[in-house]
Amino acid sequence: MRKIISAIALMLILAMGAVAAFGTAEAESSEIYTDPERLYELIGSEDTPYLLLDVRTPAEYAAGYIPTAENIPVDQIGENPPEVARDSLIILYCRSGNRSNTARQILENLGYSQVVDFGGIYRWEHELHYK
């Protein structure tokens, strides 16, 4: 009986480690979108679903935004979070990276699990869209 209990405990420990490793690999794989070229590739691809959020003010957004980005200002994101599944890939950016970091923390506190902080729009070397 003791051997059976030990075997079950070992299997549970191994299973928990596999789940933790998968979660870590998932988080690490989404972090590639902090690289401007990888984000550019993602925008041009239809393979990976994502939500790109510009957390600057509406005036800043209208003055130029990364293609496909939606605008939810950081001061509204807690009360008006994105209407996507909590495990969706969400990539955030702002002007310098401060507000996107704040927005990342807010979304993670709300239970979103794949939130990536791209940082500042100044890092984007490709064409912008305008409103």
Side-chain angles (χ1 to χ4, degrees), residues 65-120:
Y65 59 92
I66 297 174
T68 75
E70 296 180 22
N71 181 229
I72 302 177
V74 69
D75 62 352
Q76 297 174 16
I77 205 160
E79 297 164 4
N80 183 27
E83 295 180 7
V84 296
R86 298 284 196 232
D87 63 347
S88 298
L89 173 59
I90 302 172
I91 304 164
L92 308 167
Y93 73 91
C94 62
R95 182 181 51 83
S96 67
N98 291 329
R99 289 176 282 181
S100 58
N101 183 49
T102 299
R104 180 190 55 78
Q105 292 171 355
I106 291 168
L107 291 177
E108 287 176 349
N109 287 339
L110 291 172
Y112 292 87
S113 61
Q114 280 201 85
V115 183
V116 176
D117 180 4
F118 175 77

